[in-house]
Amino acid sequence: SIRFGQRGNALDFQVYGWSKPESEWTWIEGTRACLSFDLNDSTDDIWVCINVHPMLVDGYQRLSVTVNDVMVGTHRFLDDRWTNVCMLIPNNLICDKMATKMIFQAHSATKPNDTDVRRLSLQVTDVCIYQWSQLQTEVMSKTRKFDDEFYIQKYPDVIDYLSENNQYTPYDHYL
């Protein structure tokens, strides 16, 4: 993961377009910023989640993300709150011999107040990067809090269904 702010590691990955780190985040200064990082050893698709807060201009902000010059995601912000924006990066966009270049493009930037001369668009706290197959396994293990025994006790007719369909579990039946 890439962590922004004064205690983060983001400076190692920032190429251009980033403001000086603040306590817990870093602003995109202007409308365009770039990160560069190495994903060479990945043979899987990549799932990226960006924790971001917009500077709304005319009531909205828009974020577009490209990876190695290919658009991988967009998000339109209509309210002033922190949001996790997640997107899939197909493995074919990751080059074996080159660093991965991720560009953030905002719709617009503005001065936050009369005393700050910077034109800002988005605050970023984290860019979390996961291998898709690893993420699926982790999510399933963390979210599977289904009680098979309770479900069978509450719905005893499920036993007949399960005996006819050996490959299914009570959770499968529930879904």
Side-chain angles (χ1 to χ4, degrees), residues 83-95:
T83 304
N84 260 327
V85 177
C86 299
M87 61 206 66
L88 185 70
I89 301 173
N91 178 266
N92 65 336
L93 296 182
I94 301 165
C95 301

Side-chain angles (χ1 to χ4, degrees), residues 162 164-169 172:
L162 295 175
E164 293 170 15
N165 300 285
N166 293 354
Q167 71 270 25
Y168 291 104
T169 67
D172 296 321

Side-chain angles (χ1 to χ4, degrees), residues 8-134:
N9 62 347
L11 288 173
D12 295 337
F13 306 98
Q14 294 173 354
V15 179
Y16 61 81
W18 299 95
S19 187
K20 180 180 172 187
E22 297 188 22
S23 61
E24 302 294 324
W25 59 79
T26 302
W27 283 98
I28 293 177
E29 192 163 353
T31 59
R32 191 174 171 99
C34 180
L35 295 175
S36 181
F37 45 87
D38 183 16
L39 293 175
N40 295 345
D41 59 348
S42 177
T43 58
D44 201 355
D45 292 338
I46 302 295
W47 185 251
V48 174
C49 290
I50 306 158
N51 192 25
V52 63
H53 181 264
M55 175 72 75
L56 300 179
V57 179
D58 297 327
Y60 78 100
Q61 181 63 271
R62 186 173 52 243
L63 168 66
S64 300
V65 179
T66 62
V67 171
N68 294 335
D69 301 318
V70 175
M71 175 81 65
V72 294
T74 63
H75 187 82
R76 184 177 171 112
F77 301 90
L78 298 174
D79 53 9
D80 184 28
R81 65 183 171 88
W82 286 97
T83 304
N84 260 327
V85 177
C86 299
M87 61 206 66
L88 185 70
I89 301 173
N91 178 266
N92 65 336
L93 296 182
I94 301 165
C95 301
D96 287 339
K97 309 249 186 296
M98 296 174 37
T100 298
K101 183 171 61 169
M102 179 179 281
I103 296 178
F104 302 83
Q105 179 73 48
H107 159 71
S108 56
T110 190
K111 290 174 34 175
N113 57 52
D114 291 336
T115 61
D116 194 332
V117 298
R118 301 173 299 166
R119 291 176 25 88
L120 306 173
S121 56
L122 299 159
Q123 291 171 288
V124 181
T125 60
D126 302 279
V127 174
C128 298
I129 302 166
Y130 308 94
Q131 287 198 0
W132 180 245
S133 58
Q134 175 189 7

